Every structure is written in C-alpha cells, then in structure tokens.
C-alpha cells in the first residue's frame, strides 16, 4: 500500500509499516484513547494487516474474524467492526475499532466513509504498482527472448553470438560469471562453447571435448547426469550430488545456478551462472526463468549450427561443381582433340587409297600433320631395301631445302630407326647425345627436334621427323604421342600405296596381297572369338548385377529370398542346420545424407557392408535390401543365445568410429532377429518378422537388437485387427463427439466447449483417443475420422450452442491445400455460423509447413474461425510463431496446472506466470487445462487466469444438455 501523509496532528512513527501508518492516521481522527486494527485480502497482493500502537491481540483477531464473516455485527457501544468488498469484487477489507466512549452517529458515518475510501484507494494503488512491476519483468523477458531469436539469425560468428547472448542473460539476472556447455550423451563428453568468469581464468575451447573420466568430480557433469535444475552454494550442491571437491574445476561460489538444456527429452547441454560475492543471489523465479531462456538459447544454437552447416554444404557443393566443370571442360577439350585426330586419321586412310602417287600422298600427309602440330619443317626418311642408305622421299625445311640421300650414319634420324623408339630432344639433349658419341648432327642445328619410327609390321623402315629452329616452337610429349599415332597410320598408308604400285607392276605383288588378306581374315577371326568371349563375360556380368547390389556388391533381395527358400526347404526335410534372419537398419542415416551428401552416404554404406561381411562366416549370406537396410542369413548350432551374442558383436563392430568425407562418424544400427520356425512358409515372412523386431529395437532406444517373439506377433495381429475395426468404424460412422465445457473460473459461466473424440467400438465399448489415435496417424485414417467428427460438430452448431465449440486438428490436415475450403463448405451446407467454431492446433502443425498453414489460418480467420494453440509450453514454445501466426488463445498444458495448488511447485508457478504475462503482452487469451482441484482453480485465479476446463469444471458428455455446472465451479 502507498504510505499516507503524516501531519502534526497524526504523529505516526517513521519505522511503522504502511498499514500501521494508515491505522494511525485513521485513529487520529477518533477520540483520544481509541485503538484500531485493519486487515485485508486481495487477489493480487495477498493478505495483510496493521494496527495502532498498543492495540490488543483481541482487537486484531476481531478484525480478522470480520474479514471472514458475511454479515458483521457490532460487539457493543464501544466496540465496532466493519468489512466491505471493493467495486470489482477482487479485494475485501475489515476494520476493528475500540472506542473510549460513545461516538456520534454522523461522526461515525463520516469516519467510516473516509476509512473505506482511504483503504480501498491504497489497495488499488498497491495493486497498480505490483502490476507495473510484473509488466516490466514481462517486457524484459520478452525483449530478451526477441534478442536471442535475432542473434540466432544474425550473421555473427559463434563466439560473438554467445557473448551477446550472455549480455542478454545478464540483463535478466546477475550473470557476470556464466558458461554454456554442449553434452553428447552417447559419447558422454562435453564441449565448453562459452566461458566468462571473474575468478576462473579458463578460456573456452569450443572444439575440444572433455570426457567424463577427465572431469570425474565436475559439478557440470553432475548437473548433466542429474538432468534437473540445481541452485545453491557449491558446497551444498556437491554434497547433494555426491561430488568430491576438486580445485582444478575452479573456485567455489556462494550461489550457483545450473539449468540443463533438453532436446527430445535428452539432456544436450547446460547453462550455468554463479556468484562469488553474494549468497542467495538467485531465487526459484530465476531458476525457472533461466530454464525458459535456456531452451531458447538451445534453439538459437541449433539454428546457428544449421546455418553454419548449410554454408559449409554450399561451399562443398560449389567446390564440387567447380571441379566437375573443370573436368567437363577438360573432357570437352580432350574430345575435340580426339575428334580432330580421328578426322586426321580418316583422311590419312583415305589418302592412302585415293592418292595418285607416293609424292602426292606425302604432300597430303604433311598437310594433315601440320593441322595437328607445328610441322613447318617436316620430312619422311626411309631405309633402302639393302639397309645401307637413308632416303628422303619427302622433305620441307626452311633451312635445309635439299635433303639428299645419305649413307646410314649415326645421325638423329638413324638413332630413332636403330632404337625403334621416339625421340624428343632440345639442344641440351642433342648435345648430351653428341658428347656420348651416340649421334652426330647433320644439317642446321634445331632448337627442338621430334622423330618417331615408321614400322612395317614389326620392322622399322624409316622415320617421320618435325623440327623447329626458334624458341617460340617447342614440341611436347603430347606432340610425341600424337605424331607416334599418326606415324602408325602413315606406315599403313605407305604399305597400301606400295601394294597398289606392286599390283600394277607384277603378279607376285598380287600373291603378297592375298597373304595380307589372309592375315587380315585371321585377325578378324581372332577379333570375332574375342567378341564372343566378351559377350559371355557381359552376360555373366548382367547375371551378377541382377542378383547383387550395384553399390556394395552384396547379394540383393531376390538372391537372399532364393537362399532363404533353399534353407527353409532343407529345414522342413530335417537335413538342414537351424538358421535365423537378422534385419539391420542404420540409425540416423538420413542425417548423414542430408548433412554430408549422398556421396558420403554411399561411402558409409560401403564401409558398413565391409564390416558386416568381415564379421560373418563364409557360409552366411549378407544382403543389402535397399537404402540403409541389410539382411543376414546365419546358421547356428548352440541355441538362440548364440545368435544374440553374434548380433551384439556385430553392433559393436558397426559402432566403431569411421572417417567419411573427411569427418569422423560413430554409426549405430538397430537389429531385429527372426529365428526359423515351421510356421514360416517362405522367406518373405521371415524378413517381415525380422523387420518388425528391428522396429521394436528402434522403439527401445536404437543401437540394440530385439528378438521377434509371440508377444510381438500378437501385438502385430492386434494392430491389424484394430486397423480393420477402424476402417469398418469409419464406414459405419461409429465416432461421436463428447463435449467438455470451458468455463469462467470465477463465476462458472460456460463460454464454450471442446469436442473430444470417442469411438463406440462394437465389442470393446467406448474407446478414448489414446487407444487408437496413434494407429490412425500411422495409417493415415485419422483424417477421415476427423471429418466425421467435424460434420457432427457443425450440425450441433447449426442446432444452437452456448458460446463456441473447439475441435482438435491433426497436422496432416494442413498438408491438404483444400482443408479450409472444405471446412467452410460444410458450414455453408448446414447453414451454421463459422464464428462458433475454434480450431485447436499444436506447435507441430505450425512448424511442419509454415507458409501453407499460415494461409489456411488466415482464410479461416476471415470467416470468423479462430485458432487456439493447444499444450502450450510443452514443445518449442517459440515467440516467432506467436507473433507470426493468428493465434487467439493459448491453452496452458495440464502438466503445468497440476503443479499448482497446496503443494505448488515453484517451477510450475513461475512458468504459468510467465505464460500469462506473455499472453497478456501479446493480447492473447489463456485457458488452463486439467483443472481438477479447488486449490488449482484458486491459484489460477490469483495468477490472473480466468478461463479453464477440467473435471472440476465439468466432465465430457455426449450431449450438450448433460454438461452441467459442477459444485466446485
């Protein structure tokens, strides 16, 4: 309450409380010797009292009794008691007065009016001040969360982003000493992403991992294992968690607050703040607030990590595209050179047939060679038939125009002919050969010289030479390979030219050509046999490809089914060994494909296939069924436990670290086992049951194996029966809504109803959604069930309803672009008012396909259909979609409401208060779910939540007429 002014006639003590000062002021207006006691009960401020100095205990107790009484009576002429409620009905005030003597009736009435006005005004002022403080806290929290969301999307390095997040947290509470860690619960290691401390000089190394064995006595590891927020002095927390003091982990603090960060019910990190100077620096509200902020920090870290990962993937993809482009350009250039060479060879082959003479043939060949390489200086040298002379039938040279026949000596041309190998030489190489006495220079010295031998069959009969006299032209090894290839065809062309000339000159030449033709036929016959062998090899390869996986080389599904059929046949006749089928699926393989690319995923699959193959015996079969699924056919002799042991060993081998695409991975797998039994008729049934066991292993936490048993078989049969019943129930329209009222908790007035789905089963009676909703989601039938419910709700609205009716909407509906149009068409067909309907959606629906969901919700809102966010606080609880999507109501989850009441949990109280403050700031209504006790209703009213639903306020009923107001309401 505000403190009233103290005048000279009202000497209130400076040390008195505001309530006592008010009592002194009021008492100063009464005759001397009067005593006064005052008390009040307010929905926002709670209970309070005050009295004049020297007031008796009995007088104080009389004021308290008057506060609780409905009708207040005077105790006597010298004793008075008054009580009244304020205009809004949210506060009550009582006065007890002891007078030294009678008081005039007019004076008493004026005094009572003054006292009532002063007390009510003081309560209103105190309530307004408390509201201002609450709004300021909500504003700071909202601003902090907005800043964290903005930092996650800003183009900042990770250290700078964390430093700014630290500054935001420091604005909400004392956080000069703060650090943030990430925790890998599989490897049991932590990384310090951020560390700021006034006394601990440690500098954070975000990439370094600390194992649990390195930090045995660390409070941080103890917090991560504990999984719940911790607050208090370091010594007290260590004693609570059984941690031994270790000075290497930093100095002790007078107050330590740590909050774990969770992702999918797994602890994945923590944020810690501490104070070295002041004890009790943090309260339960700070713990709840830090926990709420911690989840948003984790979301910011996830977004930042995803952004960095995306940039890395873009850079890698860009590099791959650049490399592919270079390879493509090189391939194009190589193809162009190959096409140019092919055209040249075709021309040489054609010239060998069409040229009128050898001279013309030589000149045309020179022209072709000059198109491929620089052949300004070009000649062809041939050895005479007796091997003594070197003839030059064709020569074009800018410095040696007349190259004459000479005796075979040790020149460069003769060196090429003698060795039978090409020679690429510059002046230095030529000088070295000359100094070694291997060659002798003939004609002008060349700067670059290239000669290749001409063959006739296996004999060297000459050489083709190009040379350069300037530094601008220098031949390369590529030119050498090109000229060697061309020389081979020149030799063939020379043979054809000579063959034609000899054909015209003598019949003996004809016989030689017959012999050549015979050799060509023999070669063709050899090639034909080679082609037949190649065809057989291709057929064998195709057969192998049809029964094996292309990536890993393992047998595929048809191959495995053939082997299973053979094993089943042997087992039925009693002459086969017991066997089992193991169905293996890699855990989180899609994450590898999405984050590192399909090439990395293929590399991972090949390594997994290799490890599995190395772990089995030669007689066992390892098959890849597709994607990341593998199946094994193994024989065993020592019972099923032998198969279990083998499966555990196999999972251990697969779990060893491996390097894929430059990154160390720790793969894991889920494995299902189906053991042979005479009931199996074919391999498909064995694979089916092994697959079902594998999914059981995944449900149990992954990285483990499960054996298919009769319980699983019975569950599968029941699931199939229930799905069949569900389909029949849809056809028979066996689903109906049960309506649960939503009320104002202060006066019990009904403002609306929630339509809850029920299934009237033909044998099992009335079923709740928990018994079939999961099957409906998995099978996709839930959409048909929902439309049956919506049709009945719309008909009920058309008949008339008090307030509105809310229905739950599966995220599947928002994947259908015509959901809104279909729903509105149903209202139009029934002539019902759409504004009487509200849609209850979950946070998953908002995040699944945000643009489409936003369009649908806006369309429905234009027709009066509002959206309510169900189970708020249990998911991501991101402020971004509250601001972005047209949400009109937040429904506080029953898990928070259950923590209120007589044994209220501070976390629930703080979170509900924060949700209410956030909703009030955004102008959004709130409805509390699961209100089951009067204490919960009173606590919610005191917190400012006026709407609720639950068994205390009304149970669901099939007819709206049966939904009545309970006694508690």
């Amino acid at each position: 309450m505000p403190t009233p002014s103290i005048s000279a006639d009202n000497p209130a003590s400076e040390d008195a409380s505001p309530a006592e000062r008010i009592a002194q002021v009021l008492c100063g207006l009464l005759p001397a010797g009067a005593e006064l006691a005052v008390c009040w009960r307010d929905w926002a401020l709670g209970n309070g009292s005050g009295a004049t100095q020297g007031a008796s205990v009995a007088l104080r107790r009389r004021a308290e009794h008057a506060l609780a009484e409905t009708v207040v009576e005077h105790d006597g002429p010298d004793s008075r008691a008054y009580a009244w409620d304020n205009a809004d009905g949210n506060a009550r005030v009582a006065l007890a007065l002891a007078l030294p003597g009678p008081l005039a009736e007019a004076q008493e009435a004026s005094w009572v009016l003054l006292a009532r006005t002063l007390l009510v005004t003081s309560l209103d002022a105190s309530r307004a001040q408390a509201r201002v403080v609450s709004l300021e806290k909500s504003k700071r929290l909202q601003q902090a969360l907005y800043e964290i969301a903005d930092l996650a999307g800003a183009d900042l390095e990770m250290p700078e982003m964390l430093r700014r997040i630290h500054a935001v947290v420091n604005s909400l509470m004392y956080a000069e000493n703060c650090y943030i860690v990430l925790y890998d619960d599989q490897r049991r290691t932590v990384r310090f992403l951020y560390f700021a401390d006034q006394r601990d000089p440690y500098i954070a190394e975000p990439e370094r991992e600390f194992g649990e064995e390195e930090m045995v006595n660390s409070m941080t590891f103890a917090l991560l294992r504990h999984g719940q927020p911790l607050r208090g002095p370091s010594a007290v927390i260590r004693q609570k968690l059984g941690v031994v003091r270790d000075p290497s982990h930093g100095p002790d603090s007078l107050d330590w607050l740590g909050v774990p960060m969770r992702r999918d019910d797994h602890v994945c990190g923590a944020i810690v703040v501490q104070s070295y100077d002041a004890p009790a620096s943090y309260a339960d509200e700070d713990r709840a607030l830090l926990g709420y902020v911690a989840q948003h920090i984790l979301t910011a870290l996830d977004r930042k990590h995803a952004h960095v990962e995306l940039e890395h993937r873009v850079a890698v993809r860009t590099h791959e595209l650049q490399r592919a482009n270079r390879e493509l350009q090189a391939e194009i250039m190589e193809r162009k050179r190959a096409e140019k060479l092919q055209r040249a060879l075709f021309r040489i082959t054609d010239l060998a047939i069409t040229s009128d003479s050898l001279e013309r043939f030589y000149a045309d060949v020179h022209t072709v060679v000059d198109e491929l390489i620089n052949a300004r200086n070009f000649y062809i040298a041939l050895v005479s038939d007796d091997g003594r002379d070197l003839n030059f039938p064709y020569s074009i040279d800018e410095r040696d125009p007349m190259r004459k026949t000479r005796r075979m000596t040790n020149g460069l041309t003769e060196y090429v002919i003698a060795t039978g190998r090409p020679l690429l030489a510059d002046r230095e190489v030529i000088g070295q050969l000359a100094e070694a006495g291997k060659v002798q220079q003939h004609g002008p010295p060349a700067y670059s010289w290239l000669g290749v031998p001409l063959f006739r069959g296996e004999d060297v009969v000459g050489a083709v030479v190009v040379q350069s006299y300037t530094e601008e032209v220098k031949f390369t090894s590529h030119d050498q390979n090109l000229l060697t290839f061309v020389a081979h065809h020149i030799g063939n062309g020379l043979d054809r030219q000579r063959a034609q000339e000899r054909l015209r000159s003598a019949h003996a030449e004809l016989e030689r050509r017959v012999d050549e033709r015979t050799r060509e036929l023999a070669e063709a016959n050899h090639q034909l046999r080679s082609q037949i062998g190649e065809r057989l090899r291709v057929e064998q390869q195709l057969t192998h490809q049809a029964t094996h996986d292309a990536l890993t080389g393992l047998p595929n599904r048809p191959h495995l089914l053939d082997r299973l059929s053979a094993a089943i046949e042997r087992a039925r006749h009693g002459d086969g060994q017991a066997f089992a089928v193991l169905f293996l699926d890699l855990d989180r393989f899609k994450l590898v494909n999405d984050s590192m690319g399909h090439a990395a995923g293929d590399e991972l699959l090949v390594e997994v296939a290799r490890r599995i193959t190395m772990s089995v015996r030669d007689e066992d079969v390892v098959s890849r069924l597709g994607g990341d699924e593998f199946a094994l056919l193994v024989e065993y002799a020592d019972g099923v436990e032998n198969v279990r042991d083998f499966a555990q060993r196999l999972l251990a081998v697969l779990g060893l670290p491996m390097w894929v695409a430059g990154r160390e991975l720790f793969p894991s797998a889920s494995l299902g086992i189906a053991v042979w039994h005479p009931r199996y008729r074919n391999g498909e049934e064995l694979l089916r049951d092994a697959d079902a066991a594998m999914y059981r292993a995944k449900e149990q936490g992954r990285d483990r194996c499960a054996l298919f048993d009769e319980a699983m078989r019975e569950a599968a049969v029941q699931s199939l029966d229930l799905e069949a019943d569900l389909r029949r129930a849809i056809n028979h329209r066996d689903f109906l809504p049960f309506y649960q009222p939503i009320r104002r908790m202060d006066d019990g007035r009904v403002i609306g109803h929630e339509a809850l789905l029920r299934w009237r089963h033909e044998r099992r009676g009335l079923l709740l959604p928990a018994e079939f909703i999961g099957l409906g989601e998995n099978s996709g039938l839930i959409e048909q069930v929902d439309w049956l419910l919506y049709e009945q709700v719309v008909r009920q609205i058309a008949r008339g309803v008090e307030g509105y009716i809310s229905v739950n909407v599966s995220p599947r509906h928002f994947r259908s672009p015509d959901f809104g149009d279909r729903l509105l068409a149903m209202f139009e067909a029934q002539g019902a008012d759409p504004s009487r309907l509200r849609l209850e959606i979950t946070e998953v629906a908002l995040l699944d396909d945000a643009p489409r969901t936003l369009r649908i919700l806006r369309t429905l809102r234009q027709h009066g259909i509002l959206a309510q966010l169900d189970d708020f606080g249990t998911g991501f609880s991101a402020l971004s979609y509250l601001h972005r999507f047209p949400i009109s109501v937040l429904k506080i989850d029953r898990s928070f409401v259950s923590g209120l009441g007589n044994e209220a949990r501070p976390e629930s109280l703080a979170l509900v208060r924060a949700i209410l403050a956030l909703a009030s700031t955004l102008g959004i209504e709130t409805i509390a779910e699961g209100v089951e006790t009067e204490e919960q209703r009173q606590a919610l009213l005191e917190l400012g939540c006026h709407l609720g639903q639950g068994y205390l306020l009304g149970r669901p009923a099939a007819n709206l007429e049966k939904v009545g107001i309970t006694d508690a309401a």
Side-chain angles (χ1 to χ4, degrees), residues 335-345 371-372:
R335 181 168 296 179
K336 288 182 178 179
R337 287 194 294 266
E339 291 176 354
K340 188 175 181 181
L341 176 60
Q342 189 68 34
R343 287 195 300 269
L345 297 180
E371 294 176 359
L372 301 175

Side-chain angles (χ1 to χ4, degrees), residues 228-289:
Q228 299 297 327
L230 295 173
R231 176 175 64 85
S234 299
V236 175
I237 294 178
R238 280 201 308 274
Q239 182 178 6
K240 178 180 178 181
L241 299 178
V243 177
V244 180
R245 171 82 171 98
D246 189 349
S248 65
H249 296 318
D252 276 355
S253 56
L254 295 180
D255 202 2
W256 192 91
L257 174 58
V259 175
M261 295 188 292
R262 294 179 174 274
R263 184 188 297 112
D264 298 333
D265 295 331
H266 293 284
V267 176
C268 60
I271 179 171
V272 176
V273 295
Q274 53 187 332
S275 172
Y276 297 107
D277 303 320
S281 298
Y282 307 108
D284 289 339
E285 184 176 357
D286 294 326
R287 178 176 62 182
L289 179 62

Side-chain angles (χ1 to χ4, degrees), residues 660-833:
V660 175
R663 186 182 296 273
E664 188 177 21
L665 299 180
F666 295 81
S668 64
S670 300
L671 193 149
I673 305 172
V675 179
W676 154 250
H677 189 276
R679 66 171 175 269
Y680 290 113
R681 294 170 296 179
N682 52 53
E684 288 286 357
E685 295 180 354
L686 272 166
L687 281 176
R688 178 201 62 203
D689 290 350
D691 188 13
M694 181 273 294
Y695 277 105
R696 174 64 60 85
K698 282 189 178 294
E699 294 172 358
Q700 293 174 351
R702 304 186 179 185
D703 193 19
R704 63 191 66 224
C705 64
L707 181 65
F708 187 87
D709 53 18
E710 289 301 321
M712 294 175 64
R713 177 181 295 278
E714 182 65 23
V717 172
Q718 290 179 359
S719 178
L720 289 175
D721 292 341
L722 186 60
E723 181 177 352
D725 292 344
L726 186 61
R727 294 182 183 276
R728 286 194 298 271
I730 292 173
N731 295 331
H732 297 159
R733 308 174 72 87
D734 291 334
F735 298 93
L736 69 159
F738 269 50
Y739 298 97
Q740 185 175 28
I742 301 172
R743 302 180 184 273
R744 294 183 57 88
M745 290 188 289
D746 50 357
D747 57 9
R749 178 190 168 205
V750 176
I751 66 166
H753 301 80
E754 180 179 356
L756 303 176
L757 179 65
R758 296 293 186 268
W759 178 7
R760 197 178 300 279
H761 196 276
E762 56 187 359
R763 297 186 309 277
R764 299 168 58 184
L766 196 65
L767 299 184
L768 299 178
E771 300 180 71
F772 63 87
I773 202 73
L775 176 63
E777 288 284 356
N778 294 334
S779 62
L781 299 175
I782 193 62
E783 294 185 57
Q784 301 179 45
V785 174
D786 284 347
W787 284 112
L788 294 176
L789 177 72
Y790 300 160
E791 181 181 350
Q792 298 180 64
V793 169
V794 172
R795 284 203 301 267
Q796 179 63 51
I797 292 175
R799 289 194 298 268
V801 64
E802 182 179 4
Y804 63 86
I805 298 179
S806 64
V807 294
N808 291 280
V809 180
S810 170
R812 286 177 169 270
H813 289 294
F814 290 99
R815 300 172 191 161
S816 302
D818 62 339
F819 169 70
D821 296 335
R822 182 177 177 184
L823 187 62
L824 293 172
M826 188 177 292
F827 274 92
E828 184 176 359
Q830 294 290 336
D833 182 7

Side-chain angles (χ1 to χ4, degrees), residues 501-512:
E501 290 182 354
R502 290 175 183 178
L503 178 62
R504 289 191 296 265
S505 63
H507 181 70
E509 187 67 11
L510 178 60
E511 293 180 349
R512 187 184 68 80

Side-chain angles (χ1 to χ4, degrees), residues 135-152:
L135 289 176
E136 286 295 328
K137 289 184 179 180
S138 300
K139 180 180 179 181
R140 289 200 303 272
L141 174 61
Q142 180 183 6
Q143 184 63 31
L145 297 181
Y146 275 132
E147 290 179 10
I148 292 174
D150 291 341
L151 288 173

Side-chain angles (χ1 to χ4, degrees), residues 569-587:
E569 191 66 20
R570 290 194 302 270
R572 289 191 181 281
H573 290 81
D575 56 350
Q577 193 170 357
F579 65 94
V581 173
L582 282 65
F583 196 105
L584 184 146
D585 183 90
L586 296 181
D587 298 332

Side-chain angles (χ1 to χ4, degrees), residues 23-24 26-37 51-55 59 78 96-101 103 111:
Q24 293 287 359
L26 294 175
C27 190
L29 302 176
L30 297 172
E35 295 180 352
L36 177 67
T52 58
Q53 293 182 358
L59 187 64
D78 300 332
L97 180 66
L99 298 172
L103 189 65
W111 184 89

Side-chain angles (χ1 to χ4, degrees), residues 738 740-742 752-756 786 789-790 804-814 819 823 837-846 853 857 860 865-872 887-894 927-929 948-949:
F738 269 50
Q740 185 175 28
I742 301 172
H753 301 80
E754 180 179 356
L756 303 176
D786 284 347
L789 177 72
Y790 300 160
Y804 63 86
I805 298 179
S806 64
V807 294
N808 291 280
V809 180
S810 170
R812 286 177 169 270
H813 289 294
F814 290 99
F819 169 70
L823 187 62
L837 181 71
R838 292 192 182 183
L839 304 183
E840 292 196 12
I841 59 178
T842 61
E843 297 170 12
V844 176
L846 300 180
T853 303
L857 292 180
L860 295 176
I865 300 178
L866 303 181
Q868 301 184 160
L869 190 57
D870 198 9
D871 301 332
F872 182 74
I887 303 299
S888 61
V889 177
L890 296 182
K891 301 197 73 174
I892 303 175
D893 187 72
R894 64 178 63 248
I927 298 175
E929 293 182 301
Q949 69 180 101

